[in-house]
Amino acid sequence: MATTGVREFKNYIAGEWVDAASGDTFESTSPADGEVIGTFPKSGPEDVDRAVEAAKAAYEEWRLVPAPKRGEILFRFAELLKEHKADLTELMTHEMGKVKAEAGGDVQEAIDMSYYMGGEGRRLFGHTTPSELRDKFNMSVRMPIGVVGVITPWNFPIAIPSWKIVPALVCGNTVVFKPATDTPSLGESFVELLTEAGIPAGVVNIVHGGGGAVGDRLVRHPDVPVITLTGSRETGVAVLEAAAENLKHVHLELGGKNGIIVMDDADLDLAVDGIIWSAFGTSGQRCTAASRVIAHEKIYDALQKRLVAAAEKMRLGPGWEDETDVGPVINAPALEKIHSYTEIGEGEGAKLLTGGEIATGNGLDKGFFYPPTIFADVEPDMRIAQEEIFGPTTALIPVTDFDEAIRVANGIRYGLSSSIFTQDVNRAFRAMRDLNSGITYINAGTIGAEVHLPFGGTKETGNGHREAGQAALDVFTEWKSVYVDYSATLQRAQIDNVE
Ligand code: UN1
């Protein structure tokens, strides 16, 4: 099990812990204070090729292991995650930076997913349905597909690998996993626990390294029929293009620009709690973060005041300290990007209410800290109201009525999460119908998805797939329709049964 001490990590290929073929390495450091977490193999295409070869060979046996048995391994994995929840949480506060409660939630999400998908081993339901002909039996069954290429981000370094790897495995696929280079040690811990749970050699392989060298090869490898990626819109487009050559199945979970609508009849205290949690939790580094607040003009001023007061109470610091509310952002380029959006917002004429400066003092200079930042008087078409910032910045947009609120909420290229605070049941139901997003919350913020419901978005958030819940099974299986004719005669569908 990885700890926060400096350690040399390896790739895991065909059941062996190995260095990159080149022998090159890279370091993982803490965004809070620069502490070195470990060194990792800087892999290249040849390492990916070896891992794919191992996964392809292992697939032939793994697909025949009864699904309930595959599920039992995942139950053991869930138990191991539980046993190691405290150390994984601690490691996450160091390597990724999120605060303790949220790091614990990240691990818990993987525990929940592993139990859920472990149970799927005894379901994986298909359908039986009557035949249009006599003495004939029809059914559809889910079939595994082969080697799944898993490319994950750093913001949910245990949860998101579980959303992809765990369903892929229960369905009978094998995996080559490339974790984010900002959180490789958590990716490695995930795989260590899977092996401890009893996943056979070659079924799960991990290859560390960057998107250019490792990710690109994985996406183009002809023996990897499925790619699942959570990342930026730009990466998603590049992956889709690269995978087109082999007509791969590609599951993409990309950006968001999620809005919270606050109507004039909302419980304002509740709305403030929901906005603060959704905009500044994980330092705003969630695809589901609330980066827009669409507020009815009647409560607009009161809401501004309360939000600023609440945001200014938040304490910045390392995620492992109990008093911290907002941890660091992931790295120097992220910090620069977030700050550049403050400049963009000011340049566009939005009013900066609080935050907006890179945080210094009290040891914060050692890491990448940005305070909760709130803009008011934002126009719906400003860049700060349209582009994903992926940091603790939110934009308040005033509106005059419900219809305008819905129009503004939908007026973006993304469609991941949305929310409305209102006490009016009619408005709540209209919002459920009219908000164009994969997830909608009523009287709650935009974050907090549970593992047994589909997770994903409309429009340019993805390409129509969902992870989590039953929907995940559609990413990791192919349907096969089976017709069994026991009439001992030639029966022709669409011909012999027509009067
Ligand atoms: C993400 O933002 O990338 O609903 C995932 C949530 C979490 C998962 C977020 N359960 O915010």
Side-chain angles (χ1 to χ4, degrees), residues 298-320:
K298 281 196 193 141
I299 49 84
Y300 183 64
D301 290 338
L303 185 66
Q304 277 187 43
K305 284 198 195 79
R306 292 191 203 199
L307 284 176
V308 169
E312 290 181 349
K313 277 206 205 94
M314 299 184 95
R315 189 186 170 285
L316 269 67
W320 59 83

Side-chain angles (χ1 to χ4, degrees), residues 105 109 153 155-156 159-160 163 230 253-254 282 285-289 390 416-417 439 441 446-451 455:
E109 203 158 334
N155 69 333
F156 277 81
I160 292 182
W163 297 4
T230 298
E253 181 50 48
L254 310 173
T282 327
Q285 302 171 111
R286 295 192 189 215
C287 319
T288 50
F390 225 65
L416 183 52
S417 186
I439 304 168
Y441 292 90
T446 51
I447 67 178
E450 302 176 27
V451 302
F455 182 94

Side-chain angles (χ1 to χ4, degrees), residues 65 128 227 268 291 304 404 407 420 467:
V65 172
T128 61
I227 297 290
L268 270 202
S291 51
Q304 277 187 43
E404 186 187 358
R407 250 194 335 273
I420 184 166
E467 43 199 348

Side-chain angles (χ1 to χ4, degrees), residues 341-388:
Y341 272 99
T342 297
E343 291 164 351
I344 290 168
E346 288 186 301
E348 288 177 308
K351 185 165 142 206
L352 181 64
L353 295 181
T354 185
E357 292 291 349
I358 291 173
T360 53
N362 293 330
L364 298 180
D365 319 60
K366 286 192 279 175
F368 311 113
F369 290 91
Y370 208 76
T373 296
I374 304 177
F375 275 103
D377 302 348
V378 176
E379 301 283 342
D381 58 354
M382 285 181 182
R383 286 183 63 193
I384 55 166
Q386 289 289 328
E387 296 173 18
E388 186 173 46

